[in-house]
């Protein structure tokens, strides 16, 4: 028979400085507990055989790589690829990083794009390989040295990853969404959170078909800003979503008409890609609840904040809640039926996004009689 | 800007026509259909076929020696039917992409052309993560999917890609035939099989006018879960139909794509004792609800 004995465990109690309203009820499914990994493939095509060079691309993709890595995204950067090399890089990426559903994929491609008008009147976008000739002089040559965006869509359907986000900073790249319904923004915070759990294949392009994107990429600058906190994410909570990026670029880069949306497959239509920003880049505002996780070393610990019960934390199942930033009186207790409860009282100060509070109960196991 | 487009198209058409001169061509390729009043309905000014046969596989798939002969027979039959044929034997992935691009950007650029794509070789179907079967045709350097999936992904040509390429063609009528294992999967993910009209030969005059509308048609030798024998049943049936050897098919002197699919189905199911069921699909490239044309073969000795 094993009986827990309590040795000690009361720390000084401090009262919160923030007499704010009581914290909201716990949220069970929060991105902070999904244990996901982020992987990015970045392709930058700057120097072409027949197309004019895109001087800005090299700097853009290096800056993007740095910004993603600062947010704990593993990156692969490839420069000046032919059509065959682009296909290889994409297949290698999808069939290595995309094999685990929890791995989230980001594909960023900067370079020339080209749009053909189909007999049906639809538009057909392709990413131009560096070896491609001018399609107005050699259409067959162009077609065999470019990657149709449709192919990129199909390839991503072979990934097991639940979520994938494609960012295309290419001339004429809006062709992907011709005729597709515009995405409907979520109407509530709950709906938004729900969408962030669902599988998605999201695409954001820098400019509509027919528009030429200049050498200096405002699209790239906007994404860098969002990733590094110089532009505040529209929904200020430390989690940057595909819809947030899409809506931001669509509303600020009006003249080049960026497009965003998901592929048409209904199974991927409702999700929203979510990237957890490094806390450095998204300090939580004082009026927005932020996620806090409680981890306990023993099972069945009840957690109270300012005297209000939040729920139970177990050794294997942490308790995730969202609270407003500030100071709170934290009480954690383990109730037994036969022996007095053990209590541990702590203070959390300045809670921030993704904070984890360790609840350590010094517990000794009595020797068998 | 836009007024340069017709000029460009003409240039492309002219470029495309140039290599054709070197190929064997039988008489005038213009296909005209006559309605009962004797009025001529011009259907095509030129006919082009890309015939690809993969017999010698190097990366794991078994070789298919009969394909070598089959593509010769198909090419010859198409030439007799007025097609300028580009025949490619044992295409690698890169060679195939180049041939397909040249076919779509060359002959495919003229709306008055009739295009036929024929493939014999291995096919493969993998499942996408959304549960949709995804079929591809294998080039001679495509590694076997179950042995080297990543290599396979890099060098297999998806049926979707062929379908997409037909969308980029401006030619009014494009017919694609696939004599390969597992080749039916494009149809599972697309519009599904087409329902057949009961009286295929009775082509009333007003329907003949509709024939000119654009269409993309796909016929595969089997359904997605069927193995197709190395010695083809499908190809001989196809040849006998376009050669006009089937008396039922040649009554009115024309064989339409829809009729071809229907008769191929009957012959192949019968000869394979039900083991192989050809699939076909029409794709309305102008969107649903628009009038759909039909591919037309003029049969030998037609009235």
């Amino acid at each position: 028979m094993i009986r827990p004995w309590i040795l000690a465990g009361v720390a000084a109690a401090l009262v919160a400085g923030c007499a704010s309203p009581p914290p909201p009820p716990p949220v069970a499914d929060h991105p902070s507990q999904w244990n996901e990994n982020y992987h990015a493939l970045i392709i930058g095509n700057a120097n072409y055989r027949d197309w004019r060079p895109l001087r800005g691309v090299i700097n853009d993709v290096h800056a993007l790589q740095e910004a993603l890595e600062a947010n704990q995204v593993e990156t692969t950067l490839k420069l000046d690829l032919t059509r065959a090399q682009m296909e290889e890089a994409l297949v290698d990426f999808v069939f290595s990083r995309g094999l685990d559903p929890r791995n989230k994929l980001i594909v960023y491609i900067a370079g020339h794009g080209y749009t053909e008008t189909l007999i049906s009147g639809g538009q057909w976008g392709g990413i131009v390989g560096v070896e491609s000739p001018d399609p107005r002089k050699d259409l067959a040559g162009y077609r065999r040295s470019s990657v149709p965006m449709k192919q990129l869509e199909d390839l991503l359907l072979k990934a097991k990853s639940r979520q994938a986000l494609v960012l295309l900073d290419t001339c004429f790249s809006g062709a992907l969404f011709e005729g597709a319904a515009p995405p409907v923004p979520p109407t509530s915070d709950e709906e938004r959170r729900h969408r962030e759990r669902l599988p998605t294949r999201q695409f954001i392009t820098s400019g509509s078909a027919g528009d030429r994107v200049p050498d200096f990429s405002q699209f790239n600058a906007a994404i860098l800003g969002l990733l590094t906190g110089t532009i505040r994410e529209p929904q200020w909570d430390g989690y940057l979503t595909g819809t947030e990026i899409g809506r931001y670029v669509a509303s600020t880069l009006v003249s080049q008409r960026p497009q965003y949306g998901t592929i048409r497959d209904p199974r991927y239509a409702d999700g929203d890609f979510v990237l957890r920003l490094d806390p450095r880049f998204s300090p939580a505002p004082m009026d927005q609840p932020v996620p806090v996780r409680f981890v306990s070393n023993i099972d069945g610990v009840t957690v109270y904040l300012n005297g209000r019960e939040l729920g139970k934390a177990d050794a294997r199942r942490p308790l995730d809640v969202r609270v407003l930033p500030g100071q709170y009186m934290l009480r954690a207790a383990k109730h037994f039926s036969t022996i007095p409860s053990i209590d541990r009282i702590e203070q959390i100060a300045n809670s921030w996004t993704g904070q984890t509070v360790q609840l350590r109960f010094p517990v000794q196991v009595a020797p068998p009689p | 800007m836009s007024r340069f487009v017709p000029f460009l198209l003409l240039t492309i058409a002219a470029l495309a026509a140039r290599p054709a001169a070197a190929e064997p061509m039988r008489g005038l390729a213009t296909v005209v259909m006559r309605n009962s009043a004797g009025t001529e309905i011009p259907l095509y000014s030129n006919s082009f076929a890309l015939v690809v046969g993969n017999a010698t596989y190097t990366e794991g798939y078994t070789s298919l020696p009969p394909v070598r002969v089959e593509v010769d027979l198909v090419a010859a039959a198409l030439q007799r039917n007025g097609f300028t044929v580009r025949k490619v034997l044992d295409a690698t992935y890169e060679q195939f992409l180049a041939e397909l691009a040249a076919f779509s950007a060359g002959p495919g650029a003229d709306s008055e052309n009739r295009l036929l794509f024929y493939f014999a070789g291995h096919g493969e179907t993998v499942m996408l993560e959304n549960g949709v079967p995804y079929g591809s045709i294998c080039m001679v350097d495509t590694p076997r999917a179950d042995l080297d999936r990543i290599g396979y992904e890099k060098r297999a040509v998806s049926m979707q890609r062929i379908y997409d390429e037909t969308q980029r063609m401006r030619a009014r009528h494009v017919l694609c035939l696939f004599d390969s294992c597992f080749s039916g999967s494009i149809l599972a993910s697309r519009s599904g099989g087409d329902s057949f009209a009961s009286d295929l030969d009775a082509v009333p005059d007003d329907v003949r006018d509709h024939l000119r509308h654009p269409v993309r048609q796909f016929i595969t030798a089997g359904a997605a879960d069927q193995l197709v024998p190395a010695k083809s049943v499908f190809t001989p049936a196809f040849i006998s139909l376009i050669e006009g050897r089937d008396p039922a098919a040649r009554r009115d002197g024309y064989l339409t794509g829809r009729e071809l699919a229907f008769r191929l189905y009957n012959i192949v199911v019968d000869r394979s004792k039900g083991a192989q069921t050809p699939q076909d699909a029409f794709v309305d490239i102008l969107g649903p609800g628009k009038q759909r044309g039909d591919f037309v073969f003029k049969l030998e000795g037609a009235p």
Side-chain angles (χ1 to χ4, degrees), chain B residues 215-274:
Chain B
V215 72
R216 302 289 180 261
Q217 193 187 3
F218 300 84
I219 303 177
T220 70
D225 55 350
Q226 292 171 346
L227 279 165
V228 170
K231 178 97 180 67
S232 179
V233 180
F234 178 82
T235 293
F238 168 65
I239 292 172
S240 82
L241 282 168
I242 63 166
E243 298 264 84
R245 280 184 245 141
D246 188 321
R250 56 169 297 181
R251 253 186 298 160
D252 66 347
Y254 298 100
L255 179 72
T256 64
R258 187 183 296 242
E259 196 180 346
L260 172 70
F262 173 74
R263 300 203 187 280
L264 266 177
Y265 180 90
N266 283 346
I267 297 171
V268 172
V269 168
D270 183 44
R271 290 195 191 150
S272 69
K273 300 188 170 54

Side-chain angles (χ1 to χ4, degrees), chain A residues 62-351:
Chain A
H62 278 109
L64 184 88
Q65 179 180 37
E66 211 173 288
L68 285 172
E69 285 186 347
N71 284 293
Q72 285 81 49
V73 179
E74 184 232 44
T75 61
T76 309
L77 173 64
K78 306 253 182 188
L79 296 174
D80 291 339
L81 300 189
T82 63
R83 191 267 308 150
Q85 288 167 336
M86 281 196 277
E87 283 181 355
E88 295 225 337
L90 288 163
V91 170
D92 284 337
F93 182 65
V94 164
F95 283 88
S96 57
R97 307 300 189 269
L99 296 178
D100 186 334
R102 287 171 307 176
N103 281 355
K104 294 191 164 194
L105 306 183
I106 299 171
V107 175
Y108 183 96
I109 302 176
H112 278 296
Y114 183 72
T115 306
E116 294 175 64
T117 303
L118 302 177
I119 187 175
S120 59
Q123 308 226 282
W124 188 262
I127 301 155
V128 179
V130 293
E131 84 283 25
S132 171
D134 183 341
R136 289 164 300 179
K137 293 177 188 153
D138 179 3
L139 189 59
Y142 158 74
R143 285 184 180 173
R144 68 163 182 267
S145 48
S146 57
V147 178
M149 292 188 197
K150 194 81 188 46
Q151 204 179 325
L152 190 56
E153 274 185 61
D154 283 0
L155 184 60
L156 286 172
L157 288 177
K158 293 176 182 170
K160 291 186 168 43
S161 295
R162 289 158 53 82
Q163 298 202 325
L165 173 67
V166 178
L167 301 162
L168 296 171
D169 191 5
T170 57
C171 319
F172 308 129
S173 54
L176 194 66
F177 302 117
E178 289 292 329
V184 182
T187 52
S188 68
D189 195 51
E190 268 166 49
E191 190 192 336
R192 189 169 60 86
R193 290 275 162 216
H194 174 64
R195 284 192 191 182
E196 288 170 2
R197 293 233 61 185
L198 298 174
T200 186
R201 299 287 181 267
Q202 255 171 320
F203 285 74
I204 303 173
T205 69
S206 60
S208 286
D211 289 340
R212 182 172 286 276
V213 174
D215 252 2
F216 169 73
S217 170
Q218 294 183 319
F219 180 76
N220 179 270
I223 289 168
L224 285 182
L226 288 167
L227 284 172
T228 55
T230 55
I231 299 168
R232 185 187 297 169
E233 40 160 347
Q235 188 79 36
W236 197 10
D237 61 355
Y239 294 89
L240 184 62
T241 68
T243 306
E244 278 179 304
I245 300 174
R247 294 182 75 187
Y248 179 80
V249 295
S251 63
T252 53
L253 314 182
V254 182
S255 65
Q256 65 189 61
R257 286 184 286 143
Q259 312 250 314
Y260 70 104
T262 61
I263 62 170
R264 293 191 196 191
D265 190 309
R267 286 167 209 242
Y268 295 102
D270 295 329
D272 196 1
F273 188 93
V274 51
L275 169 69
R276 182 181 183 176
L277 291 176
D278 190 279
R280 274 179 292 167
F281 302 132
S282 188
M286 296 303 285
D287 58 348
Q288 293 279 323
V290 294
V292 177
R293 160 174 288 196
F294 295 94
V295 184
S296 163
N297 62 328
I298 56 172
D299 285 344
V301 171
T302 312
V303 179
Y304 304 86
L305 271 194
N306 284 357
R308 179 187 160 133
E309 182 178 333
L310 292 184
K312 285 213 170 10
D314 282 349
R316 259 176 257 141
R317 220 154 27 112
L319 172 67
D320 288 289
V321 296
R322 306 183 83 204
V323 299
L324 288 169
Q327 289 190 315
Y328 292 86
M329 168 130 94
L330 163 70
R331 183 170 154 250
K334 165 94 180 173
H335 303 289
F336 297 93
S337 54
T338 53
I339 54 169
S341 301
I342 52 170
D343 277 7
R344 184 169 171 77
I345 296 185
E346 282 180 356
Q347 155 212 7
I348 41 170
N350 302 322
S351 60

